[in-house]
Amino acid sequence: MTSPSLTIGTALLAFSPTLTLLFLIILPKPQLTILSVVAAFAYLLSAFGSSLIWLIVNAIFQFTNRNQENSIGALLALTVPSVLMQWFVRMQFVKLYFGVEDVIRKSVAKHEAEESMDMTTNNTNNTTGTQQQQQHHAETNALQLQLNDLSCSLASGTGYALLHTLFLFGTLLASESHESNNYYGNLQTAQGYYGGGGGSTGHGGTLYQNSCSSSSMPSLVNGALVGCMFSILDVVFMMLTFFGMRRRQQHYYYQHHRGGGGATGSSSSGPIVRPPPPRSSSLFQLLRDGLSFCNNNGINDTIQGGNAALGLVIISHLMASLALAPNGIMEENGCQISLPCLAAVVVLVVGLFWRGVKGHFLPVDQRERIQELRLSGDDDGGGRMMMMGGGGGGGGSYHND
């Protein structure tokens, strides 16, 4: 029978990245909690779509090969559609979030304008009216600050990764624990028998798989490591998707290339630079623009930079998925190859992400709102709001290009 310490330890290992972000950043903010739940539902939709594609592809594959087994073909037929489906669902989720965010910002701006008009009309003391107007403006900025891309991408990535880890590791954990429910007899005296369904042989004991049998690594440990590393990748993939989709918005190009460098509503002394004609959003274009992260400034704040971020997501996700191929194909020492390869992909993706977006992850208007709160003198309220809202994650977020 599996040791409880092994079960608890591997579960903590698998869920440690997502639970840490969940309890420290997301749960204190209701809006981030809601966003995390919706992102988890987005992963559920991607898993459902991937399963449907796999059923169709597998049926075609079985028919054309006359039920002959081909592990490499089955691996590609399962991996490639799943990666593409998750990539597509992430982009649609972020696009939907941007639409909701735009509605919220317009509603807040309308409310702020009405409050300013009422204070201007009702206040006879101009000094008092100006102070109240500035206070309401600071409160509005603090409210909008909670919807910054950094905190929302972390919340979305955490919800997405939490359900993904539950699917990767939770099903294995359920299969492992099923053995105790199928034991007939006295566990203390070991007088009885297993009815099947648990352990590597279906007769109880700790689960092992053939590719890890030589290293004596239980399947729970292998699954926990895979779940932990993929949860980190899921968070980074979601943050890169936020970054890429934001840069692909046409109005962001207008904001970023105004003569004064300001966001919408701020003063600008120079002419607006018109964006280039819209480019193809095909997969080939995204992969070609993905080479832009190799320059000295990281991923730039252009439409092509957004394509580069999205291209990096799909390439690195495919690499991470294929890194697990030896774990399922090789009969011996497969996990000894898969786990280091997957760890290398995680380190590479995190490094490229940090190098590509350091100092300019937040859009221009969000950075200016943070600077406005910092310069307003409301250090206690504004600074605390930035930290709880997620806007204070890394000093590089305040960097001005």
PDB file of all heavy atoms in Angstrom, residues 280-313:
ATOM      1  N   SER A 280      -0.293  39.563 -41.771  1.00  0.00           N
ATOM      2  CA  SER A 280      -0.954  38.271 -41.642  1.00  0.00           C
ATOM      3  C   SER A 280      -0.723  37.698 -40.254  1.00  0.00           C
ATOM      4  O   SER A 280       0.368  37.804 -39.703  1.00  0.00           O
ATOM      5  CB  SER A 280      -0.410  37.304 -42.706  1.00  0.00           C
ATOM      6  OG  SER A 280      -0.896  36.004 -42.478  1.00  0.00           O
ATOM      7  N   SER A 281      -1.751  37.111 -39.675  1.00  0.00           N
ATOM      8  CA  SER A 281      -1.640  36.493 -38.350  1.00  0.00           C
ATOM      9  C   SER A 281      -1.504  34.978 -38.462  1.00  0.00           C
ATOM     10  O   SER A 281      -1.891  34.247 -37.572  1.00  0.00           O
ATOM     11  CB  SER A 281      -2.870  36.841 -37.503  1.00  0.00           C
ATOM     12  OG  SER A 281      -4.045  36.398 -38.151  1.00  0.00           O
ATOM     13  N   SER A 282      -0.986  34.532 -39.580  1.00  0.00           N
ATOM     14  CA  SER A 282      -0.831  33.101 -39.784  1.00  0.00           C
ATOM     15  C   SER A 282       0.243  32.554 -38.856  1.00  0.00           C
ATOM     16  O   SER A 282       1.061  33.285 -38.302  1.00  0.00           O
ATOM     17  CB  SER A 282      -0.446  32.809 -41.240  1.00  0.00           C
ATOM     18  OG  SER A 282       0.811  33.388 -41.543  1.00  0.00           O
ATOM     19  N   LEU A 283       0.211  31.244 -38.698  1.00  0.00           N
ATOM     20  CA  LEU A 283       1.192  30.598 -37.831  1.00  0.00           C
ATOM     21  C   LEU A 283       2.600  30.831 -38.341  1.00  0.00           C
ATOM     22  O   LEU A 283       3.531  31.057 -37.561  1.00  0.00           O
ATOM     23  CB  LEU A 283       0.874  29.098 -37.737  1.00  0.00           C
ATOM     24  CG  LEU A 283       1.808  28.250 -36.877  1.00  0.00           C
ATOM     25  CD1 LEU A 283       1.808  28.760 -35.452  1.00  0.00           C
ATOM     26  CD2 LEU A 283       1.384  26.783 -36.930  1.00  0.00           C
ATOM     27  N   PHE A 284       2.797  30.813 -39.658  1.00  0.00           N
ATOM     28  CA  PHE A 284       4.126  31.045 -40.222  1.00  0.00           C
ATOM     29  C   PHE A 284       4.625  32.448 -39.882  1.00  0.00           C
ATOM     30  O   PHE A 284       5.800  32.635 -39.561  1.00  0.00           O
ATOM     31  CB  PHE A 284       4.089  30.857 -41.739  1.00  0.00           C
ATOM     32  CG  PHE A 284       5.388  31.192 -42.425  1.00  0.00           C
ATOM     33  CD1 PHE A 284       6.463  30.317 -42.362  1.00  0.00           C
ATOM     34  CD2 PHE A 284       5.537  32.385 -43.114  1.00  0.00           C
ATOM     35  CE1 PHE A 284       7.668  30.632 -42.982  1.00  0.00           C
ATOM     36  CE2 PHE A 284       6.727  32.702 -43.739  1.00  0.00           C
ATOM     37  CZ  PHE A 284       7.797  31.817 -43.676  1.00  0.00           C
ATOM     38  N   GLN A 285       3.723  33.438 -39.926  1.00  0.00           N
ATOM     39  CA  GLN A 285       4.118  34.809 -39.605  1.00  0.00           C
ATOM     40  C   GLN A 285       4.512  34.923 -38.137  1.00  0.00           C
ATOM     41  O   GLN A 285       5.480  35.605 -37.791  1.00  0.00           O
ATOM     42  CB  GLN A 285       2.966  35.768 -39.912  1.00  0.00           C
ATOM     43  CG  GLN A 285       3.288  37.240 -39.629  1.00  0.00           C
ATOM     44  CD  GLN A 285       4.383  37.751 -40.539  1.00  0.00           C
ATOM     45  OE1 GLN A 285       4.325  37.575 -41.743  1.00  0.00           O
ATOM     46  NE2 GLN A 285       5.404  38.360 -39.951  1.00  0.00           N
ATOM     47  N   LEU A 286       3.760  34.248 -37.261  1.00  0.00           N
ATOM     48  CA  LEU A 286       4.089  34.288 -35.840  1.00  0.00           C
ATOM     49  C   LEU A 286       5.446  33.665 -35.576  1.00  0.00           C
ATOM     50  O   LEU A 286       6.236  34.174 -34.782  1.00  0.00           O
ATOM     51  CB  LEU A 286       3.008  33.565 -35.034  1.00  0.00           C
ATOM     52  CG  LEU A 286       1.610  34.196 -35.046  1.00  0.00           C
ATOM     53  CD1 LEU A 286       0.642  33.316 -34.264  1.00  0.00           C
ATOM     54  CD2 LEU A 286       1.637  35.587 -34.467  1.00  0.00           C
ATOM     55  N   LEU A 287       5.740  32.554 -36.248  1.00  0.00           N
ATOM     56  CA  LEU A 287       7.029  31.896 -36.033  1.00  0.00           C
ATOM     57  C   LEU A 287       8.167  32.738 -36.576  1.00  0.00           C
ATOM     58  O   LEU A 287       9.251  32.800 -35.980  1.00  0.00           O
ATOM     59  CB  LEU A 287       7.014  30.512 -36.705  1.00  0.00           C
ATOM     60  CG  LEU A 287       5.985  29.513 -36.161  1.00  0.00           C
ATOM     61  CD1 LEU A 287       6.076  28.195 -36.905  1.00  0.00           C
ATOM     62  CD2 LEU A 287       6.169  29.291 -34.676  1.00  0.00           C
ATOM     63  N   ARG A 288       7.940  33.427 -37.695  1.00  0.00           N
ATOM     64  CA  ARG A 288       8.999  34.265 -38.253  1.00  0.00           C
ATOM     65  C   ARG A 288       9.264  35.481 -37.368  1.00  0.00           C
ATOM     66  O   ARG A 288      10.410  35.854 -37.132  1.00  0.00           O
ATOM     67  CB  ARG A 288       8.612  34.718 -39.660  1.00  0.00           C
ATOM     68  CG  ARG A 288       9.757  35.409 -40.400  1.00  0.00           C
ATOM     69  CD  ARG A 288       9.391  35.719 -41.832  1.00  0.00           C
ATOM     70  NE  ARG A 288       8.373  36.769 -41.906  1.00  0.00           N
ATOM     71  CZ  ARG A 288       7.948  37.284 -43.058  1.00  0.00           C
ATOM     72  NH1 ARG A 288       8.399  36.816 -44.214  1.00  0.00           N
ATOM     73  NH2 ARG A 288       7.030  38.227 -43.053  1.00  0.00           N
ATOM     74  N   ASP A 289       8.199  36.081 -36.852  1.00  0.00           N
ATOM     75  CA  ASP A 289       8.382  37.207 -35.948  1.00  0.00           C
ATOM     76  C   ASP A 289       8.967  36.777 -34.617  1.00  0.00           C
ATOM     77  O   ASP A 289       9.472  37.609 -33.865  1.00  0.00           O
ATOM     78  CB  ASP A 289       7.043  37.911 -35.703  1.00  0.00           C
ATOM     79  CG  ASP A 289       6.557  38.664 -36.924  1.00  0.00           C
ATOM     80  OD1 ASP A 289       7.404  38.987 -37.785  1.00  0.00           O
ATOM     81  OD2 ASP A 289       5.342  38.905 -37.036  1.00  0.00           O
ATOM     82  N   GLY A 290       8.893  35.471 -34.309  1.00  0.00           N
ATOM     83  CA  GLY A 290       9.455  34.985 -33.054  1.00  0.00           C
ATOM     84  C   GLY A 290      10.945  35.170 -32.934  1.00  0.00           C
ATOM     85  O   GLY A 290      11.505  35.122 -31.842  1.00  0.00           O
ATOM     86  N   LEU A 291      11.634  35.408 -34.053  1.00  0.00           N
ATOM     87  CA  LEU A 291      13.071  35.630 -34.008  1.00  0.00           C
ATOM     88  C   LEU A 291      13.437  36.992 -33.429  1.00  0.00           C
ATOM     89  O   LEU A 291      14.600  37.252 -33.134  1.00  0.00           O
ATOM     90  CB  LEU A 291      13.667  35.497 -35.419  1.00  0.00           C
ATOM     91  CG  LEU A 291      13.521  34.125 -36.081  1.00  0.00           C
ATOM     92  CD1 LEU A 291      14.064  34.174 -37.505  1.00  0.00           C
ATOM     93  CD2 LEU A 291      14.256  33.054 -35.283  1.00  0.00           C
ATOM     94  N   SER A 292      12.453  37.875 -33.236  1.00  0.00           N
ATOM     95  CA  SER A 292      12.760  39.223 -32.781  1.00  0.00           C
ATOM     96  C   SER A 292      13.215  39.260 -31.331  1.00  0.00           C
ATOM     97  O   SER A 292      13.769  40.266 -30.891  1.00  0.00           O
ATOM     98  CB  SER A 292      11.535  40.133 -32.943  1.00  0.00           C
ATOM     99  OG  SER A 292      10.494  39.712 -32.085  1.00  0.00           O
ATOM    100  N   PHE A 293      12.951  38.193 -30.551  1.00  0.00           N
ATOM    101  CA  PHE A 293      13.392  38.224 -29.165  1.00  0.00           C
ATOM    102  C   PHE A 293      14.905  38.068 -29.048  1.00  0.00           C
ATOM    103  O   PHE A 293      15.463  38.183 -27.965  1.00  0.00           O
ATOM    104  CB  PHE A 293      12.688  37.139 -28.339  1.00  0.00           C
ATOM    105  CG  PHE A 293      13.152  35.738 -28.634  1.00  0.00           C
ATOM    106  CD1 PHE A 293      14.264  35.218 -28.017  1.00  0.00           C
ATOM    107  CD2 PHE A 293      12.456  34.939 -29.519  1.00  0.00           C
ATOM    108  CE1 PHE A 293      14.683  33.922 -28.280  1.00  0.00           C
ATOM    109  CE2 PHE A 293      12.861  33.660 -29.783  1.00  0.00           C
ATOM    110  CZ  PHE A 293      13.981  33.149 -29.166  1.00  0.00           C
ATOM    111  N   CYS A 294      15.576  37.813 -30.173  1.00  0.00           N
ATOM    112  CA  CYS A 294      17.023  37.644 -30.137  1.00  0.00           C
ATOM    113  C   CYS A 294      17.762  38.980 -30.112  1.00  0.00           C
ATOM    114  O   CYS A 294      18.979  38.997 -29.928  1.00  0.00           O
ATOM    115  CB  CYS A 294      17.498  36.828 -31.349  1.00  0.00           C
ATOM    116  SG  CYS A 294      16.845  35.147 -31.396  1.00  0.00           S
ATOM    117  N   ASN A 295      17.075  40.123 -30.325  1.00  0.00           N
ATOM    118  CA  ASN A 295      17.788  41.384 -30.319  1.00  0.00           C
ATOM    119  C   ASN A 295      18.123  41.801 -28.900  1.00  0.00           C
ATOM    120  O   ASN A 295      17.706  41.184 -27.931  1.00  0.00           O
ATOM    121  CB  ASN A 295      16.977  42.476 -31.036  1.00  0.00           C
ATOM    122  CG  ASN A 295      15.623  42.705 -30.382  1.00  0.00           C
ATOM    123  OD1 ASN A 295      15.496  42.611 -29.170  1.00  0.00           O
ATOM    124  ND2 ASN A 295      14.617  42.997 -31.194  1.00  0.00           N
ATOM    125  N   ASN A 296      18.877  42.887 -28.778  1.00  0.00           N
ATOM    126  CA  ASN A 296      19.395  43.292 -27.471  1.00  0.00           C
ATOM    127  C   ASN A 296      18.320  43.853 -26.551  1.00  0.00           C
ATOM    128  O   ASN A 296      18.512  43.896 -25.337  1.00  0.00           O
ATOM    129  CB  ASN A 296      20.505  44.334 -27.660  1.00  0.00           C
ATOM    130  CG  ASN A 296      21.719  43.765 -28.380  1.00  0.00           C
ATOM    131  OD1 ASN A 296      22.019  42.581 -28.229  1.00  0.00           O
ATOM    132  ND2 ASN A 296      22.409  44.591 -29.148  1.00  0.00           N
ATOM    133  N   ASN A 297      17.222  44.321 -27.104  1.00  0.00           N
ATOM    134  CA  ASN A 297      16.179  44.946 -26.303  1.00  0.00           C
ATOM    135  C   ASN A 297      15.043  43.992 -25.944  1.00  0.00           C
ATOM    136  O   ASN A 297      14.024  44.419 -25.425  1.00  0.00           O
ATOM    137  CB  ASN A 297      15.597  46.153 -27.057  1.00  0.00           C
ATOM    138  CG  ASN A 297      16.643  47.224 -27.300  1.00  0.00           C
ATOM    139  OD1 ASN A 297      17.494  47.455 -26.449  1.00  0.00           O
ATOM    140  ND2 ASN A 297      16.593  47.852 -28.459  1.00  0.00           N
ATOM    141  N   GLY A 298      15.200  42.713 -26.218  1.00  0.00           N
ATOM    142  CA  GLY A 298      14.134  41.768 -25.927  1.00  0.00           C
ATOM    143  C   GLY A 298      13.018  41.868 -26.945  1.00  0.00           C
ATOM    144  O   GLY A 298      13.202  42.309 -28.076  1.00  0.00           O
ATOM    145  N   ILE A 299      11.820  41.502 -26.529  1.00  0.00           N
ATOM    146  CA  ILE A 299      10.656  41.566 -27.413  1.00  0.00           C
ATOM    147  C   ILE A 299      10.151  43.004 -27.444  1.00  0.00           C
ATOM    148  O   ILE A 299       9.818  43.572 -26.406  1.00  0.00           O
ATOM    149  CB  ILE A 299       9.549  40.621 -26.923  1.00  0.00           C
ATOM    150  CG1 ILE A 299      10.086  39.186 -26.801  1.00  0.00           C
ATOM    151  CG2 ILE A 299       8.361  40.637 -27.868  1.00  0.00           C
ATOM    152  CD1 ILE A 299       9.094  38.197 -26.251  1.00  0.00           C
ATOM    153  N   ASN A 300      10.091  43.595 -28.630  1.00  0.00           N
ATOM    154  CA  ASN A 300       9.726  45.000 -28.710  1.00  0.00           C
ATOM    155  C   ASN A 300       8.217  45.188 -28.613  1.00  0.00           C
ATOM    156  O   ASN A 300       7.437  44.258 -28.780  1.00  0.00           O
ATOM    157  CB  ASN A 300      10.261  45.619 -30.009  1.00  0.00           C
ATOM    158  CG  ASN A 300       9.880  44.798 -31.230  1.00  0.00           C
ATOM    159  OD1 ASN A 300       8.714  44.471 -31.421  1.00  0.00           O
ATOM    160  ND2 ASN A 300      10.854  44.453 -32.043  1.00  0.00           N
ATOM    161  N   ASP A 301       7.817  46.431 -28.348  1.00  0.00           N
ATOM    162  CA  ASP A 301       6.408  46.772 -28.155  1.00  0.00           C
ATOM    163  C   ASP A 301       5.749  47.121 -29.476  1.00  0.00           C
ATOM    164  O   ASP A 301       5.234  48.229 -29.661  1.00  0.00           O
ATOM    165  CB  ASP A 301       6.279  47.939 -27.176  1.00  0.00           C
ATOM    166  CG  ASP A 301       6.545  47.518 -25.746  1.00  0.00           C
ATOM    167  OD1 ASP A 301       6.176  46.389 -25.391  1.00  0.00           O
ATOM    168  OD2 ASP A 301       7.133  48.300 -24.990  1.00  0.00           O
ATOM    169  N   THR A 302       5.750  46.203 -30.403  1.00  0.00           N
ATOM    170  CA  THR A 302       5.103  46.382 -31.696  1.00  0.00           C
ATOM    171  C   THR A 302       4.221  45.179 -31.977  1.00  0.00           C
ATOM    172  O   THR A 302       4.207  44.201 -31.218  1.00  0.00           O
ATOM    173  CB  THR A 302       6.139  46.541 -32.825  1.00  0.00           C
ATOM    174  OG1 THR A 302       6.937  45.343 -32.897  1.00  0.00           O
ATOM    175  CG2 THR A 302       7.053  47.732 -32.573  1.00  0.00           C
ATOM    176  N   ILE A 303       3.497  45.268 -33.093  1.00  0.00           N
ATOM    177  CA  ILE A 303       2.674  44.123 -33.492  1.00  0.00           C
ATOM    178  C   ILE A 303       3.551  42.911 -33.749  1.00  0.00           C
ATOM    179  O   ILE A 303       3.204  41.779 -33.398  1.00  0.00           O
ATOM    180  CB  ILE A 303       1.850  44.482 -34.735  1.00  0.00           C
ATOM    181  CG1 ILE A 303       0.907  45.639 -34.425  1.00  0.00           C
ATOM    182  CG2 ILE A 303       1.051  43.274 -35.222  1.00  0.00           C
ATOM    183  CD1 ILE A 303       0.112  46.120 -35.615  1.00  0.00           C
ATOM    184  N   GLN A 304       4.722  43.135 -34.347  1.00  0.00           N
ATOM    185  CA  GLN A 304       5.636  42.033 -34.593  1.00  0.00           C
ATOM    186  C   GLN A 304       6.170  41.456 -33.277  1.00  0.00           C
ATOM    187  O   GLN A 304       6.409  40.249 -33.167  1.00  0.00           O
ATOM    188  CB  GLN A 304       6.803  42.499 -35.466  1.00  0.00           C
ATOM    189  CG  GLN A 304       6.433  42.797 -36.907  1.00  0.00           C
ATOM    190  CD  GLN A 304       5.612  44.063 -37.059  1.00  0.00           C
ATOM    191  OE1 GLN A 304       5.827  45.029 -36.329  1.00  0.00           O
ATOM    192  NE2 GLN A 304       4.683  44.066 -38.009  1.00  0.00           N
ATOM    193  N   GLY A 305       6.359  42.319 -32.274  1.00  0.00           N
ATOM    194  CA  GLY A 305       6.755  41.820 -30.965  1.00  0.00           C
ATOM    195  C   GLY A 305       5.686  40.953 -30.331  1.00  0.00           C
ATOM    196  O   GLY A 305       5.981  39.954 -29.676  1.00  0.00           O
ATOM    197  N   GLY A 306       4.419  41.340 -30.535  1.00  0.00           N
ATOM    198  CA  GLY A 306       3.335  40.496 -30.052  1.00  0.00           C
ATOM    199  C   GLY A 306       3.312  39.147 -30.735  1.00  0.00           C
ATOM    200  O   GLY A 306       3.091  38.112 -30.091  1.00  0.00           O
ATOM    201  N   ASN A 307       3.548  39.152 -32.046  1.00  0.00           N
ATOM    202  CA  ASN A 307       3.641  37.875 -32.760  1.00  0.00           C
ATOM    203  C   ASN A 307       4.793  37.026 -32.240  1.00  0.00           C
ATOM    204  O   ASN A 307       4.700  35.798 -32.170  1.00  0.00           O
ATOM    205  CB  ASN A 307       3.819  38.130 -34.251  1.00  0.00           C
ATOM    206  CG  ASN A 307       2.573  38.701 -34.901  1.00  0.00           C
ATOM    207  OD1 ASN A 307       1.473  38.575 -34.371  1.00  0.00           O
ATOM    208  ND2 ASN A 307       2.735  39.351 -36.043  1.00  0.00           N
ATOM    209  N   ALA A 308       5.897  37.686 -31.891  1.00  0.00           N
ATOM    210  CA  ALA A 308       7.054  36.958 -31.363  1.00  0.00           C
ATOM    211  C   ALA A 308       6.707  36.262 -30.052  1.00  0.00           C
ATOM    212  O   ALA A 308       7.091  35.105 -29.821  1.00  0.00           O
ATOM    213  CB  ALA A 308       8.233  37.909 -31.171  1.00  0.00           C
ATOM    214  N   ALA A 309       5.986  36.960 -29.176  1.00  0.00           N
ATOM    215  CA  ALA A 309       5.604  36.362 -27.897  1.00  0.00           C
ATOM    216  C   ALA A 309       4.677  35.173 -28.100  1.00  0.00           C
ATOM    217  O   ALA A 309       4.845  34.117 -27.467  1.00  0.00           O
ATOM    218  CB  ALA A 309       4.932  37.415 -27.012  1.00  0.00           C
ATOM    219  N   LEU A 310       3.709  35.305 -28.999  1.00  0.00           N
ATOM    220  CA  LEU A 310       2.787  34.193 -29.260  1.00  0.00           C
ATOM    221  C   LEU A 310       3.500  33.036 -29.948  1.00  0.00           C
ATOM    222  O   LEU A 310       3.201  31.865 -29.683  1.00  0.00           O
ATOM    223  CB  LEU A 310       1.622  34.682 -30.124  1.00  0.00           C
ATOM    224  CG  LEU A 310       0.729  35.752 -29.486  1.00  0.00           C
ATOM    225  CD1 LEU A 310      -0.324  36.228 -30.475  1.00  0.00           C
ATOM    226  CD2 LEU A 310       0.071  35.243 -28.216  1.00  0.00           C
ATOM    227  N   GLY A 311       4.435  33.352 -30.827  1.00  0.00           N
ATOM    228  CA  GLY A 311       5.220  32.293 -31.458  1.00  0.00           C
ATOM    229  C   GLY A 311       6.085  31.552 -30.465  1.00  0.00           C
ATOM    230  O   GLY A 311       6.254  30.330 -30.547  1.00  0.00           O
ATOM    231  N   LEU A 312       6.653  32.291 -29.490  1.00  0.00           N
ATOM    232  CA  LEU A 312       7.447  31.648 -28.450  1.00  0.00           C
ATOM    233  C   LEU A 312       6.597  30.700 -27.623  1.00  0.00           C
ATOM    234  O   LEU A 312       7.066  29.631 -27.201  1.00  0.00           O
ATOM    235  CB  LEU A 312       8.075  32.723 -27.559  1.00  0.00           C
ATOM    236  CG  LEU A 312       8.930  32.236 -26.385  1.00  0.00           C
ATOM    237  CD1 LEU A 312      10.098  31.384 -26.878  1.00  0.00           C
ATOM    238  CD2 LEU A 312       9.434  33.416 -25.568  1.00  0.00           C
ATOM    239  N   VAL A 313       5.346  31.058 -27.385  1.00  0.00           N
ATOM    240  CA  VAL A 313       4.455  30.192 -26.602  1.00  0.00           C
ATOM    241  C   VAL A 313       4.251  28.854 -27.296  1.00  0.00           C
ATOM    242  O   VAL A 313       4.400  27.786 -26.682  1.00  0.00           O
ATOM    243  CB  VAL A 313       3.100  30.904 -26.366  1.00  0.00           C
ATOM    244  CG1 VAL A 313       2.080  29.918 -25.790  1.00  0.00           C
ATOM    245  CG2 VAL A 313       3.272  32.079 -25.426  1.00  0.00           C
TER     246      VAL A 313
END
